Amino acid sequence: MASERLDKIIANYTSITRTQARKLIVGGKVTVDGVVMKKPEAKTDPECAVIKTEDTTINAKRHLYIMMNKPAGVISASRDNNATTVIDLLPEHLQRKNLFPAGRLDKDTEGLLIITDDGEFAHRLLSPKSKVNKVYIARVDNTLTENEIKLFADGVQLKDGTKCLPAKMTLLSDTVAEVQIYEGKYHQIKRMFAAVGFQVLSLQRIRIGQLSLPDNLSKSQVRELKIEEIELLCENDR
Ligand code: URA
């Protein structure tokens, strides 16, 4: 990317206006690679330098990282001739960017979905070796007890014989549980509940790594991730 004026970069990449950007720069509130830069006209390459204002790190990376609050009824694929995909829900200017969902949620599952054009990142996020945890809220068709908590903690054996890693279940009510898993097998949560005799009636993903679905991201809404949030995605339990 070509170098541009510092005030222009800040205005382009944040919600700060160019006038505000100039004030911040002149006031010594902006650093470029850790050094205070007081000249709004200073030329910088936003893809190479780390630019920080008082509370924002400029996100000028080459790749796009987007979070979506996926609604039920759309599929986690890039394109489909018949069904609406999560990519179809993106604003028009993002639909041409070779984006794809990093991991799948079932058509009827809602919640946090990451959409990116960074294959390496998606691979890291999804690889069982990374053991990035995912947290779901499941509503089931019968009363849950300590027994299911223990079965999940011991590692459920799916009906096809596959053994799952231990999962942490917390009861939110008789029929609603928060479940944390460290792998991403096909229909994993539904199959884990099926293996212990329950049917999942609704499912929502609320967290990946340490990144939670924000309360203010309504269904179908998307927004770009901040650098700090991208880092949270790959972080495991502290
Ligand atoms: N587990 C499921 O069963 N479905 C999902 O969509 C995600 C996890």
Side-chain angles (χ1 to χ4, degrees):
M1 186 182 274
S3 290
E4 290 188 274
R5 287 176 59 109
L6 189 54
D7 56 349
K8 188 163 178 236
I9 296 170
I10 294 174
N12 281 350
Y13 285 94
T14 69
S15 54
I16 298 168
T17 65
R18 194 137 168 200
T19 311
Q20 289 167 333
R22 270 187 223 118
K23 276 194 195 142
L24 285 174
I25 297 166
V26 173
K29 304 275 196 255
V30 174
T31 59
V32 177
D33 288 333
V35 177
V36 174
M37 172 55 71
K38 290 191 170 183
K39 291 186 184 152
E41 70 281 8
K43 291 281 177 84
T44 305
D45 181 342
E47 277 191 358
C48 298
V50 177
I51 302 168
K52 287 190 179 180
T53 66
E54 272 172 317
D55 50 12
T56 311
T57 302
I58 303 289
N59 185 349
K61 61 222 170 308
R62 267 166 265 259
H63 289 295
L64 276 169
Y65 305 89
I66 291 164
M67 68 157 91
M68 170 180 281
N69 185 354
K70 178 192 172 298
V74 296
I75 62 168
S76 301
S78 296
R79 291 275 163 242
D80 192 274
N81 287 337
N82 304 309
T84 305
T85 72
V86 290
I87 303 299
D88 294 328
L89 297 185
L90 295 176
E92 189 115 359
H93 71 282
L94 291 175
Q95 292 198 9
R96 297 181 294 272
K97 301 264 189 194
N98 292 328
L99 291 161
F100 56 88
R104 282 170 185 270
L105 290 178
D106 296 338
K107 188 171 180 184
D108 57 355
T109 302
E110 301 178 343
L112 182 59
L113 184 72
I114 304 302
I115 296 173
T116 183
D117 57 358
D118 185 346
E120 210 176 296
F121 172 81
H123 179 73
R124 242 186 307 136
L125 192 63
L126 302 175
S127 161
K129 278 196 207 129
S130 311
K131 292 205 169 61
V132 173
N133 58 58
K134 287 129 199 145
V135 181
Y136 295 85
I137 306 273
R139 191 166 60 83
V140 297
D141 63 343
N142 219 327
T143 301
L144 293 160
T145 65
E146 288 296 321
N147 184 42
E148 285 72 45
I149 295 178
K150 173 146 189 346
L151 289 170
F152 273 41
D154 289 344
V156 168
Q157 183 156 16
L158 301 179
K159 285 184 175 168
D160 68 358
T162 310
K163 178 92 175 158
C164 295
L165 290 174
K168 188 172 161 201
M169 183 194 293
T170 311
L171 296 189
L172 303 181
S173 79
D174 282 358
T175 54
V176 180
E178 183 180 294
V179 181
Q180 180 164 337
I181 57 175
Y182 296 87
E183 47 192 348
K185 299 185 195 305
Y186 185 61
H187 295 326
Q188 179 157 346
I189 297 280
K190 290 175 188 165
R191 289 162 74 211
M192 284 169 71
F193 274 106
V196 297
F198 289 76
Q199 192 191 342
V200 173
L201 302 178
S202 68
L203 189 61
Q204 183 195 26
R205 182 158 66 193
I206 57 163
R207 182 152 72 76
I208 301 175
Q210 295 300 320
L211 182 71
S212 296
L213 179 68
D215 289 338
N216 60 4
L217 193 71
S218 48
K219 277 198 200 123
S220 302
Q221 229 189 332
V222 293
R223 76 158 165 79
E224 264 201 68
L225 292 176
K226 299 175 194 146
I227 287 179
E228 299 79 13
E229 290 175 324
I230 297 167
E231 286 163 5
L232 284 181
L233 269 175
C234 294
E235 266 182 39
N236 258 316
D237 290 353
R238 293 185 185 120

